[in-house]
Amino acid sequence: MAHHFGVIRFPGSNCDDDALHIVDTVLADRGSTGEFLWHKETSLGQVDALVVPGGFSYGDYLRAGAMAAHAPIMEAVIAFAKSGGPVVGICNGFQILCEAGLLEGALTRNESLRFICKDIFCRIEGRPTPFSKSLPAGRHVGMPIAHAEGCYRHPDVERLEGESQVIFRYCDAEGGVTAEANPNGSINNIAGICNAAGNVVGLMPHPERACETVLGAGGVAGLALFESVLETLSSGATR
Amino acid sequence: MKAKVYVTLKSGVLDPQGQAVGRTLGKLGYEGVKGVRIGKFVEIELEVDDPKLAEEQVTKMCDELIANTVMENYRVEID
Amino acid sequence: MIQHGPKVDAALASEHGLAADEYEKLCDGLGRDPSYTELGVVSVMWSEHCSYKSSRIHLKTLPSDGPQVIEGPGENAGVVDIGDGQAVVFKMESHNHPSFLEPYQGAATGVGGICRDVFTMGARPIAIADCLRFGNTEHERTSYLLHGVVAGVGDYGNCFGVPNVTGDVVFDDSYNGNILVNAFCLGLAKSDRIFRGYASGVGNPILYVGAKTGRDGIHGATMASAEFAEGSDEKRPAVQVGDPFMEKLLLEACLELMEEDVLVGIQDMGAAGLTSCSVEMAARAGSGVELHLENVPMREEGMTPYELMLSESQERMLMVVTKGKEQKALDIFAKWDLDAAVVGEVTESGKVIVKMHKEVYADLPATLLAEGLKYDRPRKRPDYLDEVAYLTLDSVADPTNLGQTLLEMLAAPNICDKSWVFEQYDHMVRHGTVVRPGQASSGVVRVFEPESGRSKGVAIAAGCNSRHVYLAPYEGSRLAVASAYADLVAVGATPLATTDCLNFGNPEKPGIMWQFAESIRGIGDACRLLETPIVSGNVSLYNETDGEAIKPTPMIGMVGLLDDIDQVVTAGFKEAGHRIAVVGTLAGGLGGSEYLKHCHGIEEGAPVAFDMAKHSKVFAAMLEMTKAKILSSAEDVSDGGLLCCISECCLGGEALGANISLPVLEGRLDELCFGEGPARFLVSYTDENAASVARMASGCGVGLLEIGCVGGRELRVSVGGELRLDEPIDALARAFHYTFERIS
């Protein structure tokens, strides 16, 4: 069954090509297609799922994601999310979804105060979401991170944990959730979360950079995230 | 004593951040925003009691570390 | 006579950096005294930075032709054919002086400038590399400069969205007062859609696009050509501030515009901004331009023509579009929220005429400005060369504890792991990075062939061992080229072409000029032999503080092609049981080695010379093996010699140990273990591939010596049957990884 992804393009998005490459080329044989959606649009057209990609929307000036959250297209994104459509925000996309109020919490400067680009591991946890279904909870996978503002903060993290909204948690190569394995100082090693309804997911790691063996990372763990959405859509489980 | 330091970009130095914020304010419907420039506000707690000495110390700190005097100005207030 | 601004005379000209005879030449060329604005324009065009007046006669001796070359030096960047209707566009450029004054912004705008040079030609940037040189790690300013420069390079490239795939960082006393920040950018274009800086077509409008003009870095170009002196802190000009977000918009808008049939010529406003841009575009096309400065988007009030012409505000472009199609261009810029304005038109006058509100402020012949000056400065072999020529090892004891010496070497700032640096750079964005920094001496990015989608690879190597060039300017420069070549060969790429960034001291000193000329001769000879022509480049002179020049540093950037991305090889050992061998000569030499410098404080002797007849065979053998996909790992043995290379291959992948057995040599143990020399490779392969490897090596007439195998958790080295080193991999890792945390 064919499924169509919209990849939102803000001024300063720079992982937009990467995301489109996965949903439109790498997964083409699985019936996946994709297109860019320009930030000045007010309608999404016919899409089955949305990717808010990484980058530096509006230069990340003021606060990462702050200005993109007010872009014209965001009203349509919010409506799509409220109606149960699957939305994933990757890196800057996660920051934008938090600023737009679709996800809880905020992302602040890394504890080291430096940009960090490297491979990390994270454990799959929490409730099943359209983006993590084919990744069994408790497993851990390798993905790269590349961000300066990925330190997750939440005023009531116990509730978030209690509701099983933490979906990805930084861990070491053996799956242990340790302080050393936390690359940016995020509370409880949180790398990714979902909203209360479970259809909106945000994560700092870059699954779209871990889909092809030829690339330096070598792993393909990220592919499962996109495959999850395709499976979810095929089963008609959303909307 | 407490010192308040306001660090601002020197006039004429490009402020990409301020520009981007200004443009977005315009798009949000705030008309008549002529310009936005963004700076830093720093609070420093000091053990000294003499305001003059405090100002001297903080001025030195600003020159050495807090402000980048190549492109920033600063103003010190002592409470 | 144009009457505006202060009265111009020889004294004012001198303040602008024009020598008395240069000012005379200007007056003669004009047949009158220049106006104030004209003086400003001429002073930047005739500065060393823009005119290459000291270096031109030498640069023109460099080879720049070849069947693969689409565009050689003279344009914004060089263009090289990679087949399938595709071309790579690349160049390396310095931003040394601005980075010393304001490391963060200086480095950031350096990256911004080189990326603009590449995308103005119609290429989408797909890789950045940077070569950084700092003073001694113990010097008081080093840590500050290191933090600032690395953050500046990182923040700009990360936001702009181009992966930083390779480069190097070297510390040396000679850079204490004058750091080097050399940035390289490579873009991908269609080979029949290359755009150039031509102002052609009389009557065509000239469009200004991008950031508004402020009083940034006025006379930055002339500053970059004057050496520092104590007290120069006081006369700091307004620093240029980079805006990578603006540049990203500019990139996307320009590439979108280039898809349309609108653009005639385009050039980035870099150093000397509007001045050099308009002059060079007119001169190349043999046309003239008339500018109406009141239409230039301005950031500050009351800017004068002098300031508008000389401003170095970043992220601006000048373009010539076909008359009648300007609206199409303006629409695209509006889509990307960019300021754009028509600021002039192309004329047939051969002159650059600058007007503001209809008044003429400058009226200058374009060729007089663009051709600039040309000097054959006196050269004399510097005396220091006699002092450093002969290496005496009598006082240097051979290591008694080889393990301890290796740990010391791995922790040396110029050998140790640089992940502290490259983890601050996004080296993966744009889903193309196949070989990352730290995985090999070259970076490799994937390129899709447009029709079939087949994956090719473009490899980039960048660096220079300035100690070699200091000790032997001609030979050291040949070695710099050979070393970049070897770096490419090691990842399986066939080298195509070269860019250079020549960093030297004050050319008015005969000794420096001699170094420069010898270095160019060396680069030229090596590039001719290896058939890797120089297609672009940059010269940075006056790299001195208080009369102390840097070590001559001709940075070499070389680009190679992998026809099939699957033939790529990285440095790290892959699996226990693989055989380890050296392709090429086993032993190196100690002259000019990192070992002598780091462990004994000696910088003397001659580095082992590059021998084309012998070493080209080694390169050919390596390329044959990588094409056949029979190597599991490959690394060029360079700084730190054989043992450092083996250690890096142990640590480069899954942290595997190795058992090494070296034959007895007549010479010294340290020479065997840490000696350096060109065209030596450490490779590993499976038992099944061993016969093929041996056959190819002997087929090329190249030495192949199996020295051990991968395995265990230790590095064990025996020499002549005697165990001389037995260190746990963890200990090597500690030495290799933690130095930078301390430096930074």
Side-chain angles (χ1 to χ4, degrees), chain C residues 4 60 69 73 120 169 201 260 296 366 371 378 394 463 535 556 568 582 609 658 697:
Chain C
H4 286 291
K60 74 172 199 304
V69 178
T120 45
V169 183
E260 309 286 335
V296 170
E371 277 166 19
D394 301 348
V535 295
I556 299 295
V568 76
V582 173

Side-chain angles (χ1 to χ4, degrees), chain A residues 51-68:
Chain A
V51 180
V52 187
F56 287 72
S57 56
Y58 298 88
D60 266 3
Y61 298 137
L62 196 62
R63 290 185 312 279
M67 288 186 269

Side-chain angles (χ1 to χ4, degrees), chain B residues 9-17 19-21 23-24 27 34 37 64-65 68-71, chain C residues 101-102 105 144 212 214-216 236-239 241-243 245-246 249 299-301 315 337:
Chain B
L9 278 175
K10 285 183 178 170
S11 63
V13 173
L14 173 69
D15 179 10
Q17 175 161 241
Q19 273 189 356
V21 170
R23 241 177 282 133
T24 302
K27 283 183 197 158
K34 266 189 76 183
R37 292 180 75 75
E64 215 172 313
L65 176 72
N68 177 349
T69 52
V70 177
M71 42 200 284
Chain C
L101 293 177
E102 214 306 294
Q105 293 296 347
Y144 162 74
K212 290 181 166 66
R215 293 187 176 92
D216 311 69
R236 280 168 176 171
V239 174
V241 174
D243 183 354
F245 170 56
M246 175 71 80
L249 302 184
R299 203 174 75 225
E300 297 176 61
E301 283 176 16
E315 291 91 23
D337 295 327

Side-chain angles (χ1 to χ4, degrees), chain C residues 570-716:
Chain C
T570 54
F573 293 140
K574 303 298 182 298
E575 218 174 288
H578 286 185
R579 300 185 190 191
I580 300 169
V582 173
V583 184
T585 321
L586 179 67
L590 286 180
S593 65
E594 184 65 29
Y595 163 77
L596 277 191
K597 170 73 172 87
H598 184 68
C599 295
H600 300 284
I602 298 172
E603 290 187 285
E604 285 172 6
V608 178
F610 172 63
D611 176 348
M612 181 66 187
K614 188 169 132 198
H615 294 144
S616 62
K617 291 181 191 160
V618 182
F619 295 147
M622 285 298 296
L623 283 172
E624 200 179 327
M625 290 177 202
T626 49
K627 275 215 173 70
K629 301 178 190 170
I630 53 176
L631 297 181
S632 306
S633 74
E635 171 74 329
D636 150 46
V637 182
S638 62
D639 305 0
L642 192 58
L643 280 201
C644 287
C645 184
I646 294 171
S647 308
E648 287 166 25
C649 295
C650 285
L651 298 171
E654 301 291 311
L656 292 162
N659 279 300
I660 303 291
S661 166
L662 299 173
V664 197
L665 281 199
E666 301 293 312
R668 300 169 57 104
L669 180 65
D670 50 8
E671 193 164 68
L672 173 65
C673 294
F674 304 111
E676 299 173 13
R680 302 153 75 208
F681 296 89
L682 187 80
V683 300
S684 70
Y685 43 84
T686 60
D687 288 343
E688 297 81 73
N689 285 329
S692 307
V693 171
R695 182 170 42 78
M696 287 180 194
S698 75
C700 291
V702 167
L704 175 82
L705 183 66
E706 288 200 356
I707 57 168
C709 65
V710 180
R713 296 289 305 159
E714 291 83 27
L715 173 62
R716 289 204 181 93

Side-chain angles (χ1 to χ4, degrees), chain A residues 9 11-15 17-18 21 38-40 56-59 61 114-119 144-146 209 212 214-217, chain C residues 158-161 243-245 248-249 252 334-337 420 423-434 436 439 446 448 565:
Chain A
R9 190 173 224 197
S13 293
N14 65 26
C15 305
D17 276 336
D18 309 37
H21 173 67
W38 186 238
H39 67 113
K40 289 181 185 172
F56 287 72
S57 56
Y58 298 88
Y61 298 137
R114 291 197 295 268
F115 185 95
I116 307 171
C117 177
K118 65 173 184 182
D119 292 330
I145 54 165
R209 295 184 184 187
E212 295 172 277
V214 67
L215 299 186
Chain C
N158 297 344
C159 178
F160 185 54
D243 183 354
F245 170 56
K248 170 74 173 164
L249 302 184
E252 298 300 339
K335 173 187 167 187
W336 290 95
D337 295 327
W420 183 91
E423 283 181 0
Q424 295 186 58
Y425 305 152
D426 191 337
H427 43 262
M428 310 174 201
V429 62
R430 297 207 58 76
H431 60 91
T433 309
V434 173
R436 301 174 181 183
Q439 286 187 322
R446 169 178 66 178
F448 291 115
I565 196 65

